[in-house]
Amino acid sequence: MLFKNRVDAGQLLAEKLSHYGSRFSSENPLILALPRGGVPVAFEVARALGAQLDVFIVRKLGAPGQPELALGAIASGGTIVWNQDIIRALSLSTASLQHIVERESAEVIRRERAYRGYRPQPRVSDRILILIDDGMATGATMLAAVQALRAKNPHKLIVAVPVAASEACNAIQQHVDEIICLEKPAPFFGVGTWYDDFTQTTDQEVSDLLARAYDRTERSEDVSNQEIFPDF
């Protein structure tokens, strides 16, 4: 095992990203996690860097009867990345693909509401974005997120994961400004193989971590405002 759990992985990842922390950088980055598993990892990074944390929803488009086989992925805002080789191999109809997209689009919307509640989406244009997940196998969901975020004109886009297949890192690298893959074991087998505890993260855990991060950010802003505009 490379990591005890997602908390351990996040703390190790934070060390590699420490130069983006508020104490060392004039521009505090926005940490974006891919739910669910990426959130506990990203929470530790955001806490260590003193950075804002939010989520960016991406859903795998699973094949009919084989949900673990990724036809592609859909991200918040509707960006879709397809694996054309698998689609051709399965001879799937346009109607079948549309049904899958509609189902997963609804889940993206549900998760946006469940995780963020009434909090507004953060500004991403002209900001440093650090996109985090607990690992990458094929990189399909991460690629969908990257392409969707590129359209929002960030200042810099960074992907950071504790563990990944080398092929996935290579595929993502050409689409981002920087990529950090702490470990690229071979053979890869799967993300969960490299964690001692890879218990599924729940929706409630995601909501709780985001609420904690949001409260911390709000308190930090209040302190900053008091320093800039003291009471007389």
Side-chain angles (χ1 to χ4, degrees), residues 106-126:
E107 180 63 12
V108 168
I109 293 171
R110 184 197 71 79
R111 291 195 178 197
E112 288 275 7
R113 293 172 179 168
Y115 298 157
R116 186 175 289 108
Y118 294 101
R119 293 190 294 271
Q121 292 191 8
R123 177 182 62 84
V124 299
S125 62
D126 299 319

Side-chain angles (χ1 to χ4, degrees), residues 60-72 86 90 92 100 103:
K60 178 168 60 180
L61 299 171
Q66 304 178 71
E68 294 304 314
L69 179 59
L71 302 173
I86 294 179
L90 296 179
L92 295 173
I100 295 168
R103 182 188 65 219

Side-chain angles (χ1 to χ4, degrees), residues 26-81:
S26 60
E27 185 173 1
N28 207 7
L30 171 62
I31 310 298
L32 291 175
L34 299 190
R36 299 182 183 103
V39 177
V41 179
F43 180 84
E44 296 301 322
V45 174
R47 179 161 60 177
L49 271 57
Q52 182 183 1
L53 172 67
D54 212 295
V55 290
F56 194 74
I57 314 296
V58 183
R59 291 286 295 173
K60 178 168 60 180
L61 299 171
Q66 304 178 71
E68 294 304 314
L69 179 59
L71 302 173
I74 182 169
S76 292
T79 297
I80 300 175
V81 175

Side-chain angles (χ1 to χ4, degrees), residues 5-210:
N5 49 38
R6 292 182 179 89
V7 172
D8 177 47
Q11 292 169 350
L12 292 171
L13 196 59
E15 294 177 8
K16 290 293 185 180
L17 293 162
S18 60
H19 54 290
Y20 288 108
S22 57
R23 289 173 295 174
F24 307 106
S25 174
S26 60
E27 185 173 1
N28 207 7
L30 171 62
I31 310 298
L32 291 175
L34 299 190
R36 299 182 183 103
V39 177
V41 179
F43 180 84
E44 296 301 322
V45 174
R47 179 161 60 177
L49 271 57
Q52 182 183 1
L53 172 67
D54 212 295
V55 290
F56 194 74
I57 314 296
V58 183
R59 291 286 295 173
K60 178 168 60 180
L61 299 171
Q66 304 178 71
E68 294 304 314
L69 179 59
L71 302 173
I74 182 169
S76 292
T79 297
I80 300 175
V81 175
W82 292 111
N83 187 325
Q84 297 293 346
D85 291 338
I86 294 179
I87 292 172
R88 283 192 292 267
L90 296 179
S91 301
L92 295 173
S93 67
T94 301
S96 295
L97 296 176
Q98 184 62 32
H99 175 72
I100 295 168
V101 168
E102 290 174 356
R103 182 188 65 219
E104 296 304 333
S105 294
E107 180 63 12
V108 168
I109 293 171
R110 184 197 71 79
R111 291 195 178 197
E112 288 275 7
R113 293 172 179 168
Y115 298 157
R116 186 175 289 108
Y118 294 101
R119 293 190 294 271
Q121 292 191 8
R123 177 182 62 84
V124 299
S125 62
D126 299 319
R127 295 185 70 177
I128 295 175
L129 307 182
I130 302 179
L131 190 57
I132 292 177
D133 203 356
D134 55 10
M136 292 192 301
T138 67
T141 53
M142 184 64 78
L143 181 58
V146 165
Q147 293 186 345
L149 288 169
R150 271 293 181 206
K152 298 178 182 294
N153 301 311
H155 174 65
K156 187 175 184 180
L157 182 54
I158 302 153
V159 164
V161 294
V163 62
S166 58
E167 296 84 0
C169 288
N170 294 338
I172 296 295
Q173 188 168 16
Q174 59 186 313
H175 299 282
V176 296
D177 298 294
E178 183 180 353
I179 184 166
I180 296 173
C181 299
L182 293 186
E183 301 287 350
K184 295 182 282 186
F188 183 69
F189 299 121
V191 174
T193 304
W194 307 105
Y195 284 81
D196 185 36
D197 179 3
F198 199 62
T199 305
Q200 185 176 25
T201 306
T202 66
D203 281 350
Q204 188 61 53
E205 288 171 328
V206 170
S207 298
D208 290 346
L209 288 173
L210 289 176

